[in-house]
Amino acid sequence: MTDRPDALTDGPAADGATADRIAPAADGPAVGRAARDAAASHAPGAATPAPPEAAERQDWDPLASLRAPSAPPLDVLLSGTVFFDIVFTGMDRLPQPGEELWSKGMGSSPGGIANLATAAARLGLRTGLVAGFGDDAYGDWMWQTLSDEEGIDLSASRQFDDFHSALTVSVAAHGDRAMVTHGHDLPEPISTLIARAPAARAAVVDLAGDTSWWAGIARGGALIFADIGFDATGKWDPADLDPLAHCHAFTPNVVEATAYTRTDSPGRAVRALAEKVPLAVVTDGADGAYAIDSSTGEEAFCPAVPVRAIDTTGAGDVFAAGLVLGTLAEWPLEQRLRFASLCSALAVQQFGGSLAAPGWGDITDWWRQLSDASADGDLRAAYTRGGYEFLDGIVPDHPVLGRRRAQGTFALRSDAGRH
């Protein structure tokens, strides 16, 4: 669900040094020390000030016309592991054992479940994240970035005493990447933190995670959108999908979908999965996405938006955020797929994982530029525009103050996108 390329599990790689390093945590959510102090001043290295263009809060709510006074306070609830991601870019190759190479670019950002949380918040969804944070400088910075700069509700999250943040170092070269990750199990189960979370209209979950709390929020009316990762065991046991009984949607990629359904194509896989959930979606990368919504009787295929991808980190998370928004907005199925595909395409053109997620300013810019090119006689632009005419009734018709894509790095601005 957190779309970490080449990773075999969404959890941190434990090395055995856990319980003896963790002090008991105080009751209730804890706010990061640097996050509290940053309100008074920005100490060098303690936190990264927001980019100037991101100073104002989001002023565009795509769900405004559907909100009722009795609606839950959150649109979407997320839970999982937040990683401090360090990404090296601009390298011709990966280093050999014992070799040191210099990269031309480097950027840092909150990763893991933060990719999805940031993507959802930038689309105007009222987003809540339940996660455990370290009490180190990385944890302080990520807490402030997600809460203060991205507007994500962390009221059910915690910073644990004497606990360090999970961290991933990624080296990108030749369109691929190699990663090293380190982290520990949380001293408290995520499910106990989720019990404190505000109510939400939807939740995005991972079938490989803790499923014990799904039935409760489903009974409360939340739509659960599930994903699943690569099965390193090669078993692809259909029993892994049993928790889908509580879910509204399932969004695996084509490898996962065909393996679990024992089918040989995304089209057959999505039909098999439509027997398990009201909304089945199978993504096939550059070859598009397939979906069946049995609750509305719709079936759809959406081709991918043709773009030059430079960093696919978090692409699946951005797709999921767009799908959740379209579902809560009650858009037709094809429009939901096209919008989610567009958001994903915009994200992969930037470095930065979570901070590459597009906001409404980016979506509006793309739509205006495409429309202008079409009006000037660009046939390819006109063809692409034909599938996205619904955006005329969705994109804001005034300047948007919400965040735009930006690469952040710990203490300094990133230079990852320059190379």
Side-chain angles (χ1 to χ4, degrees):
M1 189 251 308
T2 51
D3 197 25
R4 304 178 62 77
D6 300 331
L8 300 182
T9 174
D10 288 330
D15 63 5
T18 53
D20 59 337
R21 300 186 61 259
I22 299 167
D27 291 336
V31 179
R33 282 183 274 279
R36 294 193 298 265
D37 298 341
S41 63
H42 283 295
T48 303
E53 66 272 17
E56 292 102 342
R57 283 287 179 219
Q58 179 71 263
D59 76 332
W60 175 245
D61 182 358
L63 299 178
S65 63
L66 298 175
R67 297 198 185 279
S70 60
L74 296 179
D75 294 321
V76 61
L77 180 66
L78 312 168
S79 68
T81 302
V82 176
F83 295 81
F84 182 80
D85 282 355
I86 301 175
V87 181
F88 292 101
T89 62
M91 299 184 67
D92 297 328
R93 60 181 176 84
L94 299 178
Q96 298 298 315
E99 181 183 22
E100 178 183 17
L101 296 179
W102 284 71
S103 70
K104 296 177 182 177
M106 187 278 287
S108 301
S109 66
I113 191 61
N115 290 331
L116 180 51
T118 302
R122 290 189 176 186
L123 291 180
L125 292 171
R126 297 174 181 175
T127 304
L129 172 61
V130 182
F133 290 76
D135 65 346
D136 50 18
Y138 297 147
D140 289 339
W141 180 78
M142 291 191 293
W143 186 292
Q144 183 189 6
T145 298
L146 296 173
S147 178
D148 297 350
E149 297 180 17
E150 299 295 345
I152 296 167
D153 185 320
L154 298 181
S155 61
S157 292
R158 293 188 61 174
Q159 268 191 300
F160 293 99
D161 292 338
D162 301 321
F163 185 75
H164 73 74
S165 302
L167 185 145
T168 292
V169 176
S170 174
V171 180
H174 295 298
D176 206 345
R177 62 178 57 216
M179 299 190 296
V180 177
T181 295
H182 176 73
H184 301 284
D185 292 335
L186 294 179
E188 182 176 346
I190 282 287
S191 58
T192 64
L193 300 180
I194 289 172
R196 308 169 185 155
R201 298 175 60 189
V204 183
V205 300
D206 186 352
L207 279 172
D210 179 7
T211 65
S212 62
W213 54 278
W214 295 10
I217 65 168
R219 286 193 299 268
L223 300 178
I224 300 180
F225 291 71
D227 201 353
I228 196 166
F230 185 83
D231 184 358
T233 69
K235 296 179 180 178
W236 303 102
D237 187 352
D240 293 343
L241 306 186
D242 288 349
L244 290 178
H246 305 297
C247 298
H248 174 76
F250 184 38
T251 60
N253 65 34
V254 64
V255 173
E256 299 151 358
T258 53
Y260 274 115
T261 59
R262 283 27 177 196
T263 55
D264 59 2
S265 71
R268 291 188 177 92
V270 77
R271 293 196 180 280
L273 294 174
E275 300 294 324
K276 297 181 178 292
V277 286
L279 175 59
V281 180
V282 175
T283 59
D284 195 9
D287 290 327
Y290 302 73
I292 296 177
D293 189 338
S294 58
S295 66
T296 63
E298 297 171 281
E299 300 182 0
F301 166 77
C302 171
V305 179
V307 295
R308 177 177 172 268
I310 64 172
D311 186 355
T312 60
T313 305
D317 298 313
V318 177
F319 182 95
L323 185 68
V324 171
L325 172 59
T327 300
L328 295 181
E330 302 176 358
W331 296 344
L333 181 59
E334 183 179 348
Q335 292 182 12
R336 283 180 266 166
L337 284 187
R338 287 188 177 275
F339 182 79
S341 297
L342 171 61
C343 292
S344 183
L346 292 176
V348 300
Q349 295 178 83
Q350 302 284 331
F351 285 107
S354 63
L355 300 186
W360 279 102
D362 300 296
I363 296 167
T364 301
D365 287 347
W366 178 85
W367 180 237
R368 302 294 183 229
Q369 291 165 8
L370 183 72
S371 298
D372 289 346
S374 177
D376 288 341
D378 186 323
L379 294 180
R380 183 172 181 174
Y383 173 81
T384 302
R385 189 186 190 283
Y388 285 87
E389 290 180 346
F390 67 92
L391 287 178
D392 266 334
I394 295 174
V395 297
D397 57 4
H398 61 280
V400 175
L401 300 179
R403 292 190 59 114
R404 291 169 179 260
R405 290 173 293 178
Q407 292 80 39
T409 195
F410 190 64
L412 298 172
R413 288 293 192 90
S414 169
D415 61 358
R418 297 178 188 170
H419 306 282

